[in-house]
């Protein structure tokens, strides 16, 4: 009998690797999945219950059956957030009318010109803003946008934060990573001083706000500065324990930050098991969790940072209290000394040692390309 207390609470469902955007920091769009082989809503019915579900891609709104996926997942979780480019304005508004409690996060990489340059589609910024304003007009509460900071857009991050405050929307941050998921191995912040200075300014602004959620977001952004500097994570990674990712063809991975040059192993494929519990407690899943405990990467992404921030809350809380007092007193927040919280994690984790040399082939069909008809379909916005 399996211990239900060891079941995951968070899931990210990668619905597809098809995407109409042409982002410079992500090559998912060059490695699309075959829609005929993508996981179906019926196959997702075998999943257990969760506290939180993130539905992502590629672009989830290119799935014609996305509403069916959302309907299934609402039987599994009270909270679902879809990550999207915001390109499919009509489709997004239509889905939100059917599911008014849905969460929507639109990826915006800067102000208008910067966003459209980095995301590779003219008009992307305008569509993203139309999506957000239309959702707000429809009374959807759980909405916001976020930025993936690279070498060219950290200043725009501060303007987007001001925009989110004006609109009363959530604002999320990330910085670019390398992984099998992004199909990149050359994403690196090179103008570290400029980028960390802008993250520092964001932290100062967040700590001045009146909402505790903003103060903990400041701690998360401190982790991004730490990551950019190449240091081990402030808190350990426990991917594959509280959270996991499921790929379009059904493979379950602990996270989306894996790289073949270090290691990449699936915990199993849900299509190969009678129940999700059998996969989750399998010998292979235990093996993968062991690899996570000694993973050399120092990723800091919200999917793996948020669960451990909650689990080891006293550590971020200590930083928040100390620096909120500083903020109230008008004193600057120091980002030169960043805490590393020891909770008994393996010292090998995040030590950025040399790659292990293990290369595992991608599970995607090699060389699969979209037809002209499919290309036209993913650009279409018929809601």
């Amino acid at each position: 009998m399996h211990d239900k207390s060891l079941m995951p609470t968070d899931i990210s469902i990668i619905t597809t690797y098809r995407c109409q955007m042409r982002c410079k920091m992500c090559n998912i769009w060059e490695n699309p999945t075959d829609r005929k082989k993508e996981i179906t809503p019926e196959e997702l019915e075998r999943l257990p219950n969760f506290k939180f579900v993130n539905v992502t891609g590629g672009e989830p709104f290119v799935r014609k059956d996305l509403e069916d996926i959302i309907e299934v997942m609402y039987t599994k979780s009270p909270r679902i957030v879809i990550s999207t480019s915001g390109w499919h304005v009509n489709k997004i508004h239509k889905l939100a009318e059917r599911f008014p409690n849905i969460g929507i996060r639109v990826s915006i990489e800067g102000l208008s010109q910067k966003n459209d340059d980095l995301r590779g589609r003219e008009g992307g910024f305008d569509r993203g803003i139309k999506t957000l304003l239309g959702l707000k007009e429809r009374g959807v509460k759980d909405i916001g946008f976020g930025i993936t900071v690279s070498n060219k857009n950290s200043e725009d991050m501060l303007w987007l934060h001001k925009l989110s405050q004006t609109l009363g929307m959530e604002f999320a941050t990330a910085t670019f990573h390398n992984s099998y998921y992004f199909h990149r191995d050359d994403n690196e912040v090179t103008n570290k001083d400029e980028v960390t200075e802008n993250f520092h300014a964001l932290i100062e602004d967040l700590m001045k706000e009146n909402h505790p959620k903003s103060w903990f977001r400041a701690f998360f952004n401190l982790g991004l500065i730490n990551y950019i500097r190449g240091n081990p994570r402030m808190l350990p990674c426990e991917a594959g324990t509280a959270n996991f990712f499921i790929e379009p063809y059904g493979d379950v991975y602990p996270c989306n930050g894996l790289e073949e040059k270090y290691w990449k192993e699936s915990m199993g494929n849900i299509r190969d098991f009678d129940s999700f519990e059998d996969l989750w407690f399998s010998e292979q899943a235990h093996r993968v969790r062991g690899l996570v405990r000694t993973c050399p990467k120092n990723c800091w992404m919200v999917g793996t940072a948020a669960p451990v921030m909650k689990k080891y809350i006293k550590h971020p809380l200590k930083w928040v209290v100390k620096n909120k007092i500083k903020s109230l007193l008008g004193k600057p927040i120091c980002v030169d000394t960043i805490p590393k919280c020891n909770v008994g994690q393996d010292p090998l984790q995040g030590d950025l040692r040399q790659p292990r040399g293990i290369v595992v082939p991608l599970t995607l069909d090699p060389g699969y390309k979209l037809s002209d008809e499919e290309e036209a379909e993913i650009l279409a916005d018929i809601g």
Side-chain angles (χ1 to χ4, degrees):
M1 195 71 178
H2 300 311
D3 185 349
K4 298 294 184 181
S5 68
L6 299 178
M7 291 291 286
T9 60
D10 297 9
I11 177 177
S12 292
I13 303 172
I14 308 171
T15 53
T16 182
Y17 283 140
R18 291 175 288 143
C19 186
Q20 77 290 333
M21 306 310 283
R22 299 293 182 259
C23 296
K24 293 183 176 178
M25 63 287 189
C26 171
N27 290 336
I28 279 179
W29 57 276
E30 289 187 320
N31 298 270
T33 35
D34 182 347
R35 66 178 176 181
K36 297 174 184 176
K37 299 179 181 180
E38 289 170 351
I39 196 167
T40 66
E42 292 75 22
E43 288 172 319
L44 293 174
E45 288 178 357
R46 68 187 66 176
L47 292 171
N49 293 336
F50 302 97
K51 292 181 179 178
F52 174 72
V53 175
N54 174 229
V55 175
T56 185
E59 172 55 69
F61 283 92
V62 306
R63 289 279 305 240
K64 293 183 178 181
D65 57 355
L66 182 61
E67 289 192 15
D68 296 332
I69 290 174
I70 300 303
E71 186 172 21
V72 168
M73 294 315 298
Y74 262 126
T75 70
K76 309 288 183 183
S77 175
R79 183 162 185 248
I80 300 174
V81 174
I82 304 176
S83 301
T84 174
S85 65
W87 180 267
H88 298 96
V89 182
N90 296 322
K91 291 179 184 178
I92 297 170
H93 290 165
K94 179 184 175 184
L95 182 139
E97 287 167 2
R98 180 177 172 185
F99 302 104
N101 293 325
I102 197 74
I104 301 289
R105 296 294 182 273
V106 175
S107 296
I108 297 178
E109 307 309 331
L111 300 179
S112 179
Q113 291 179 327
K114 185 68 68 177
N115 175 81
D116 291 1
D117 175 54
L118 290 174
R119 294 190 70 78
R121 285 285 184 195
E122 187 176 348
F125 180 85
D126 292 353
R127 289 187 183 226
I129 294 299
K130 286 178 184 177
T131 291
L132 291 165
L133 293 177
L135 291 169
K136 189 176 180 68
E137 185 178 44
R138 286 165 171 77
V140 181
K141 304 295 184 185
D142 192 1
I143 55 176
F145 53 97
I147 182 173
T148 298
V149 174
S150 57
N151 294 311
K152 300 179 178 179
N153 62 347
S154 63
E155 182 182 355
D156 278 24
M157 169 181 67
L158 301 176
W159 291 110
L160 289 177
H161 178 235
K162 294 180 188 299
L163 179 61
S164 72
Q165 291 175 308
T166 301
L167 296 174
M169 296 181 183
E170 301 287 330
F171 182 67
T173 53
T175 189
F176 59 12
H177 285 65
N178 296 311
S179 76
Y180 82 95
Y181 175 77
F182 302 112
H183 293 273
R184 295 298 297 258
D185 61 6
D186 59 350
N187 280 336
E188 180 184 0
V189 174
T190 53
N191 54 337
K192 290 179 170 55
D193 290 344
E194 178 186 354
V195 172
T196 56
E197 181 180 339
N198 285 322
F199 270 119
H200 187 184
L202 178 64
I203 289 170
E204 295 278 4
D205 288 344
L206 288 168
M207 292 305 295
K208 291 173 183 175
E209 294 185 21
N210 295 323
H211 305 291
K213 183 186 289 188
S214 298
W215 310 338
F216 285 93
R217 282 185 178 147
F219 180 86
F220 174 79
N221 282 280
L222 184 71
L224 291 176
I225 291 176
N226 184 61
Y227 164 76
I228 289 168
R229 290 173 175 166
N231 298 322
R233 289 166 57 111
M234 296 192 298
L235 287 165
C237 179
E238 296 185 357
T241 302
N243 68 287
F244 69 95
F245 281 72
I246 183 166
E247 280 210 306
Y249 294 161
D251 273 310
V252 171
Y253 286 94
C255 72
N256 64 339
L258 303 178
E259 289 185 79
E260 287 88 347
K261 70 179 182 180
Y262 292 105
W263 69 279
K264 176 179 179 277
E265 287 195 33
S266 167
M267 302 173 82
N269 191 301
I270 66 167
R271 291 169 168 167
D272 298 333
F273 290 82
D274 293 331
S275 73
F276 179 80
E277 286 81 359
D278 289 342
L279 183 157
W280 194 249
F281 294 103
S282 68
E283 182 178 338
Q284 175 61 13
H286 285 303
R287 168 180 160 76
V288 169
R289 281 188 279 270
L291 291 171
V292 170
R293 284 191 286 273
T294 60
C295 180
K297 297 195 68 179
N298 67 334
C299 311
W300 189 256
M301 293 184 275
V302 69
T304 53
V308 290
M309 284 176 61
K310 294 174 185 174
K311 180 176 179 179
Y312 304 109
I313 187 65
K314 70 176 184 179
H315 295 286
L317 180 61
K318 181 179 178 181
W319 183 91
V320 163
V321 170
K322 175 183 176 181
N323 286 281
K324 182 58 183 177
I325 293 172
K326 276 189 172 184
S327 180
L328 290 170
L329 295 174
K331 296 181 178 180
I333 293 170
C334 177
V335 297
D336 293 328
T337 302
I338 296 179
K340 185 175 186 299
C341 309
N342 187 351
V343 297
Q345 64 266 43
D346 193 305
L348 286 177
Q349 190 185 71
D351 70 356
L352 301 178
R353 58 192 181 279
Q354 292 299 310
R356 301 176 183 181
I358 300 174
V359 177
V360 180
L362 291 174
T363 56
L364 303 182
D365 285 357
Y368 181 78
K369 299 295 182 184
L370 298 178
S371 66
D372 291 342
E373 180 183 0
E374 287 178 306
E375 287 275 11
E377 275 187 6
I378 66 172
L379 280 169
D381 182 25
I382 302 171

